[in-house]
Amino acid sequence: MATMKEFRNNVKPNWCPGCGDFSIQAAIQRAAANVGLEPENLAVVSGIGCSGRISGYINCYGFHGIHGRSLPIAQGVKMANRELTVIAAGGDGDGFAIGMGHTVHAIRRNMNITYIVMDNQIYGLTKGQTSPRSATGFVTKSTPAGSIESSISPVELALSVGATFVAQSFSSDLKGLTELIEKGIQHEGFSLINVFSPCVTYNKVNTYDWFKENIVPVDTIEGYDPHDRIKAMSTSMQHKGLITGLIYQNTEQKPYEALVNGFKEEGLVNQDIRLSEEDFEKLVKEFA
């Protein structure tokens, strides 16, 4: 069985020192080893941004896609080879701005992949502009007078479109984040894990200390039930989205792949899908 070290490669991350993304990378590697994966069993697909680099920093199949498009690529990989464990990764700008449409439809489709959002509440790679996760009044180069827009809540968004697994974590909580990624991988359906990942270079508001003072773990809330969707929504709203842990899970809804007509357990890559000349001619005639 592979260890965490076997999910490392010789590519040195070039994130800023102190970036929360280092912990997310380590948590993915630990989780992959803990659930018994081998490097050839895992595919990590990323978009554009600081977070987009992660697909090249893990020893597994990696695909660095274009801005906001990690999810359609990841879903295609999963449909082609369902034997792979597929993780999509991206930043809050990648997933909740240009990629928002893909995020919403991937959630409601419930394909069996895990989506990790590296949420720093700012555009880091392009030097510090407001993102969809920036709070009202947030001052950046693109909003010098403060943002006049309200921020998106990943938890409430996911719950509203029928997510079957919603979790949130903090990059400095490596143990807790690793456990959530393990649960996300093992969940039969789409898993959204939003991770507060402070940008130490451009975001001087949502710092490590700020998160430590403001986040509320759901396991400290008396009577909290992660299988109660209404409770999950109201709890997130009550705490302004700053809750962490397994927020909601529905184990009854089947994943997308299992509902496809003609579903086969083995991936397309292992199926003999060649058409005979006779079948090909029949198919052509249907379009004549």
Side-chain angles (χ1 to χ4, degrees), residues 136-270:
T136 304
F138 195 72
V139 176
T140 68
K141 295 176 181 179
S142 61
T143 55
S147 175
I148 61 173
E149 300 177 350
S150 58
S151 63
I152 287 172
S153 170
V155 170
E156 292 153 40
L157 169 72
L159 291 171
S160 70
V161 293
T164 60
F165 184 102
V166 183
Q168 200 157 243
S169 191
F170 179 31
S171 61
S172 70
D173 180 14
L174 182 58
K175 181 176 182 293
L177 176 56
T178 301
E179 291 174 354
L180 286 176
I181 295 175
E182 291 173 23
K183 290 178 181 178
I185 291 172
Q186 294 167 336
H187 175 72
E188 290 292 322
F190 188 91
S191 302
L192 173 67
I193 304 173
N194 191 68
V195 186
F196 299 128
S197 181
C199 175
V200 295
T201 302
Y202 296 108
N203 191 337
K204 304 301 183 182
V205 176
N206 309 114
T207 62
Y208 284 96
D209 288 338
W210 186 90
F211 280 114
K212 289 175 182 177
E213 292 173 3
N214 287 278
I215 57 177
V216 178
V218 293
D219 60 11
T220 65
I221 300 174
E222 186 176 355
Y224 188 83
D225 180 5
H227 300 99
D228 186 336
R229 184 173 173 225
I230 296 175
K231 178 69 172 179
M233 179 70 83
S234 63
T235 302
S236 178
M237 295 174 71
Q238 179 183 350
H239 295 283
K240 299 180 180 180
L242 293 170
I243 53 176
T244 57
L246 177 56
I247 297 167
Y248 178 71
Q249 184 174 19
N250 175 0
T251 58
E252 296 180 2
Q253 185 172 331
K254 292 183 178 180
Y256 178 88
E257 309 94 291
L259 299 174
V260 174
N261 188 31
F263 172 81
K264 295 181 180 179
E265 290 293 336
E266 68 273 20
L268 289 174
V269 294
N270 294 323

